[in-house]
Amino acid sequence: MKLKTTLMAALLAATTAGAGWADPVKVGMITTLSGGGAGLGIDVRDGFMLAVKQAGNPDLEVVIEDDQRKPDIAVQLADKMIQSEKVDVLTGIIFSNLAMAVIPAATAQGKFYLSPNAGPSALAGRGCHPNYFNVAWQNDNLHEAAGAYANEAGFKNTYILAPNYPAGQDALTGYKRFYEGALAGEFYTKLGQTDYAAEIAQIRASGADSVFFFLPGGMGISFLKQYAASGVDLPVVGPAFSFDQGILQAVGEAALGVKNTSQWNKDLDNPANVAFVESFQAEYGRLPSLYASQGFDTANLLLSAMAKADVSDTEAFRAALKEADFASTRGDFRFGPNNHPIQDIYVREVIQEGDVFTNKTLGVALEDRGDAYADECRM
Amino acid sequence: MSAILLIEQVLNGLQFGVMLFLMAAGLTLVFGVMGLINLAHGSLYMVGAFAAAAVAGATGSFVLGLAAALAAAAAAGALIEVTIIRRLYARDHLDQVLATFALILIFSEGTRWIFGSFPLFLEVPAALSGPVTLPFGIEYPAYRLAIIGIGLAIAAALFWLIAKTRIGVQIRAGEADREMIAALGVDIDRLYTLVFALGAALAGLAGALVGALQSVQVGMGEPVLILAFVVIVIGGIGSIKGAFVGALLLGLTDTLGRTLLPVAFGTVLEPSMATAVGSALASMAIYILMAGVLIFRPSGLFGQS
């Protein structure tokens, strides 16, 4: 018996020594791959896996599971990944309600969480955690930039609308944080609503000079198509979510000319981005989206930390992540005191290139923007 | 709120209502005649929308897209009736719910497999793409007006079919006593397949018409399905007239609730509070309506108790 244990130990030591000095890193990716919103998860996954493939690092293993956009399933998957798969790092969640269900528990168990999308305010302020890093944005950021752009565009009387749920309320709060004009109206729709005839009639009657809306996914497609058909031609501003590569083809001409705010666009002229856009298209045969760029950056952040520190040395690995020493596709990127990005947020315009609808960068709406909650974070 | 805005909102409510009627009519026919709860009805709506988007995209013709939607949804309906649904008539409702829920998952993943995860594009036909000017200077989207017209025409055709034709007589008889009409020599299997395909085609048509206004994506049928169930509960199960009245009532309640409630609260509360309370209450308005109807008429407005 004793001999056997010794042998096992020796064998174990030999194999780990053979693999190099670093412990391999196991990543659990929980993301939305089926049902509504699957397009977002698929883009995050594809972006992430592209970076993993390009790095060719044998010490990185990724397990991918589908949360079906359901918080209870996301929690089960996280438990399974932490307990039986023994992952070191979790990532992948798209939606804020799922993020809230998984992240606090995962970080409390000593796992790292790298968010490629969801950035709820609760995790940026008092609920911040040293092991939680957001590689996308704080939820308010793109809306704040839309508000800043509205001032620049000379809007004085905006009609603002969003669905009646936490991210919708955050969106309008974010817009109002920077927007200086008056409000022609403020409206909360039902979440998942697809008919906006009533809201559009009110916009027409309100005397507004512009419209800001945050309606994620199919809601935004419906709104834009109906808005275009209604004959109301006030300028529209929104966050990139409703104008991203994955859904622009479904909106079609109705989106042309709309200004939207984003921390990334495919035409950003930095070497990392040029290479990313080209290799993503070559690999998957479609243009990358915002979400794909976020997945790609998340993987590269992780790889940069793996090059500097061992994942079993939590302190060192955390410090290596915090340095954010990787070439982000969005250009300058660093972490603020609450491990959320400090980055430029751009204004884009929807254009048509051949028969593909896409975005063109117009300029910077907010420079080196952190977020409104960083001061509340104590860590 | 001006009178013009109010009229416009009534039209919006009407348009939403006729859309719901197309969904609820098929659902209530199937339930009334065959006693089957079909949760997959929303999937047939999705099939119609996807078929319309694919064919309109390939040919550039919206009319061909509509025809494809009708054909695809009717074919999908007939296919699942013959292969699966037929085995469920004699089972209890729980089995039906389980089996048709499984069909939702199969349709959703099947559609994703064929068309991918990203929403498809279906455009309003060019001739109907702008607004039209109605009396009193009301600007109203031409396409929505066309939907109201199509919906009312189909409602009229359905009433005629049920009330005046031989097949209508068989449907009504099958609703009342299925052994009797089988004994009278009606091919009940064929009748059921026909009714199911008809209901499916109506759902497919609704999906295609709405697809041009909204997004054509996987899972688009489920929210509509819930509303269609509310409609048949309000109208009375199995009654086409009930489905019609229920759908219009629900469409008007939802649309007017969304616009009037925040305004009404605005007279007593401060604006942001009024918006929040009004919007919250507006989301519940149709369910409050349903509860109200059920208190006074437990079997729905036109249901036989």
Side-chain angles (χ1 to χ4, degrees), chain A residues 285-367:
Chain A
R286 64 177 194 272
L287 284 172
S289 69
L290 183 66
Y291 308 102
S293 80
Q294 291 165 187
F296 188 79
D297 279 359
T298 305
N300 279 324
L301 168 70
L302 180 67
L303 287 158
S304 77
M306 285 171 62
K308 290 184 174 180
D310 197 306
V311 74
S312 57
D313 182 353
T314 308
E315 287 291 326
F317 199 76
R318 186 188 292 147
L321 283 170
K322 184 96 180 181
E323 280 175 37
D325 188 13
F326 69 104
S328 168
T329 56
R330 71 197 90 177
D332 291 344
F333 178 94
R334 64 195 155 94
F335 283 117
N338 55 350
N339 294 351
H340 279 62
I342 295 180
Q343 59 190 348
D344 291 348
I345 300 174
Y346 302 93
V347 182
R348 316 188 294 184
E349 180 178 355
V350 181
I351 57 160
Q352 190 167 10
E353 279 176 358
D355 50 359
V356 177
F357 295 92
T358 185
N359 283 288
K360 184 178 79 178
T361 307
L362 294 183
V364 180
L366 286 177
E367 216 162 305

Side-chain angles (χ1 to χ4, degrees), chain B residues 18 57-58 106 109 117 124 129 137 178 227 262-263 285-286 288 303 305:
Chain B
V18 296
I106 293 168
E109 289 314 302
S117 301
V124 169
S129 65
R178 78 175 80 177
L227 293 177
V263 176
I286 54 173
I288 297 171
S305 46

Side-chain angles (χ1 to χ4, degrees), chain B residues 157-173 198:
Chain B
L158 258 185
F159 282 122
W160 172 78
L161 180 85
I162 304 277
K164 303 278 186 211
T165 63
R166 186 171 173 77
I167 187 127
V169 172
Q170 291 176 355
I171 290 174
R172 278 181 293 142
L198 175 68

Side-chain angles (χ1 to χ4, degrees), chain A residues 59-126:
Chain A
D59 289 339
L60 177 59
E61 187 192 341
V62 186
V63 194
I64 303 173
E65 294 273 10
D66 175 17
D67 61 33
Q68 301 168 36
R69 201 179 177 168
K70 294 183 181 128
D72 49 329
I73 292 184
V75 170
Q76 280 172 24
L77 288 173
D79 286 345
K80 191 184 100 185
M81 284 183 167
I82 292 171
Q83 279 153 26
S84 58
E85 303 264 5
K86 308 261 186 265
V87 300
D88 307 294
V89 178
L90 281 163
T91 185
I93 294 182
I94 301 296
F95 298 96
S96 290
N97 55 335
L98 277 66
M100 289 305 296
V102 167
I103 294 170
T107 50
Q109 294 176 68
K111 302 296 168 190
F112 285 98
Y113 190 91
L114 308 179
S115 177
N117 197 62
S121 53
L123 299 181
R126 291 217 172 87

Side-chain angles (χ1 to χ4, degrees), chain A residues 206-229:
Chain A
S206 70
D209 68 356
S210 52
V211 177
F212 165 78
F213 77 92
F214 164 61
L215 296 167
M219 302 171 70
I221 303 176
S222 304
F223 177 81
L224 276 173
K225 288 172 82 172
Q226 294 163 28
Y227 185 81

Side-chain angles (χ1 to χ4, degrees), chain A residues 3 44 47 85 87 162 216 244 258 264 266 304 320 334 360:
Chain A
L3 180 71
V44 161
E85 303 264 5
V87 300
D244 205 46
V258 172
W264 176 85
K266 77 174 193 341
S304 77
R334 64 195 155 94
K360 184 178 79 178

